[in-house]
Amino acid sequence: MPIQNVISAPEDTIQIGLEPTLNALQSLLLLTQADDLSGLGDWVIRTDQALSQEQRQRHFLVMIGFYNIVIPHRSWSNFASYLEQLKSMSPLQMRDTLMETYLKMPCKQGTTDDLQNAKETALASQENYLQFLRERFDEMHIFPEVEKQAYRYLQDPPVMKDLVVSHLQSMWDQFLAPEWQRVKPMLQESVEAFRRLDYSGLSKLEAARLITGHKFDEEKWITHMDMAEQVLFVPNSHIGPYTGVFHVKDKLVLFFGARHPDGVFQEAPDLSRAEILVRLSALADDSRLRILKYISENGEQRSQDIMQALDLSQSAASRHLKQLSATGYLNERRCEGAKCYDLNPERLDDTLQAIRSFLLM
């Protein structure tokens, strides 16, 4: 059942949609980042805390180790139809989907015309498989222990299929199905609000900045945008101040926190409240307030200087700076090989105005 609720802008290269299945998978993927990103939605925090250690490890394996099996290559109108499609795949077809997706990726060692041989070589040993991945991904994007587990399952495709399908079915039934029913009306409000905007004359990058409210770096994103025939923007209730990306064939799917278009009034208090909570969450922490105060008093600062001045570990500073930047309270740029941060007072004013408008509307 291909999805029917994608709402197209005047230019078909820019679309706004609800995307129930990809939306759900994005939320599941956020569970793998619960320890690394602060400010994610309450559902992510509550669900992560409800998972046993075994469930958490299995979830990481399915969503990361088998990412290219889990993320579909087409849209589906609902999660049940998507699961039925997974169940209908043969175990070998499922494994081939994963391996062929990897084989299509740029390889640091150059490409080979003998794709079948490359696949067989990669699956011949655990060491070969890890090397196969390293030729396609930076080391920071490889989790060796997870990939070692994934390799063992790839040697037994029926067991691998059962793991993937049963885990996704369990996560949907236990955690996601009731949550989807709760947030769906709010997400639809966001889709309809952005549908009313005129995107004619905007580039994909300009549309991305308008819809998400993020200041996408042109140098980093222009290639992503240009390579995609279409960019589909999807509001998500759990992503907080961040954005997420899926590549579905020739389409770039860009997730953003469900929100109103800037400056557009609409009677949708749940949307307003959700965006205010995202913004206030970034301020509701002593370390983040200290960072903002330090930069306010001392001007633009390098991340290393912030760590030393406030006695923060690298991981803590990185997590806090990511949230403050994603929420818009800090402007981030590269300077002399480091990341530098400056206060964005306009965002503080916007937040106060958003609270006032919500409470006094």
Side-chain angles (χ1 to χ4, degrees), residues 323-341:
Q323 185 175 0
L324 290 170
S325 299
T327 317
Y329 293 124
L330 292 179
N331 295 318
E332 176 187 297
R333 71 182 184 93
R334 300 294 299 187
C335 56
E336 299 178 356
K339 288 185 178 179
C340 290
Y341 299 89

Side-chain angles (χ1 to χ4, degrees), residues 4-210:
Q4 300 296 323
N5 63 350
V6 170
I7 301 169
S8 298
E11 292 292 335
D12 201 42
T13 57
I14 299 169
Q15 298 180 319
I16 317 292
L18 191 61
E19 281 285 348
T21 297
L22 291 179
N23 219 320
L25 291 172
Q26 172 62 50
S27 294
L28 289 176
L29 194 62
L30 290 171
L31 288 170
T32 68
Q33 300 173 286
D35 292 335
D36 301 320
L37 296 176
S38 55
L40 295 173
D42 285 345
W43 177 87
V44 177
I45 307 304
R46 286 186 283 104
T47 303
D48 179 63
Q49 293 173 346
L51 295 175
S52 67
Q53 186 63 24
E54 181 182 355
Q55 286 176 311
R56 194 174 288 109
Q57 291 174 348
R58 184 164 62 247
H59 187 70
F60 207 94
L61 171 60
V62 170
M63 297 304 299
I64 302 300
F66 300 124
Y67 174 89
N68 286 301
I69 292 174
V70 170
I71 304 304
H73 296 281
R74 56 180 287 191
S75 296
W76 292 90
S77 60
N78 58 71
F79 205 77
S81 298
Y82 157 75
L83 284 175
E84 286 303 314
Q85 180 267 339
L86 280 183
K87 293 174 184 177
S88 71
M89 294 177 69
S90 73
L92 284 176
Q93 181 186 6
M94 189 173 281
R95 186 177 73 175
D96 286 346
T97 296
L98 177 71
M99 297 304 296
E100 287 169 8
T101 303
Y102 284 147
L103 286 166
K104 292 175 183 177
M105 295 178 178
C107 179
K108 297 175 184 177
Q109 306 300 321
T111 59
T112 174
D113 294 327
D114 192 351
L115 299 183
Q116 181 63 30
N117 182 62
K119 181 173 70 173
E120 292 175 357
T121 300
L123 293 173
S125 72
Q126 186 179 94
E127 182 180 346
N128 284 5
Y129 185 67
L130 289 174
Q131 181 58 33
F132 174 79
L133 296 177
R134 290 189 179 105
E135 291 171 355
R136 289 159 175 79
F137 298 97
D138 294 331
E139 197 67 36
M140 65 178 294
H141 293 128
I142 297 176
F143 301 88
E145 292 308 312
V146 172
E147 299 302 347
K148 289 176 183 178
Q149 291 182 60
Y151 173 79
R152 290 194 289 271
Y153 277 97
L154 287 170
Q155 301 307 301
D156 193 343
V159 175
M160 177 198 67
K161 176 184 174 180
D162 181 65
L163 168 73
V164 172
V165 173
S166 63
H167 178 74
L168 291 174
Q169 183 75 67
S170 174
M171 293 298 292
W172 172 254
D173 292 341
Q174 188 173 355
F175 299 108
L176 256 184
E179 175 68 3
W180 176 253
Q181 291 306 311
R182 184 184 74 84
V183 302
K184 183 178 177 181
M186 182 178 69
L187 297 178
Q188 192 63 61
E189 287 277 3
S190 183
V191 168
E192 291 172 0
F194 282 101
R195 180 187 184 186
R196 296 188 180 97
L197 300 187
D198 180 9
Y199 301 97
S200 59
L202 293 183
S203 68
K204 296 169 187 171
L205 186 60
E206 289 168 336
R209 290 169 175 161
L210 174 65

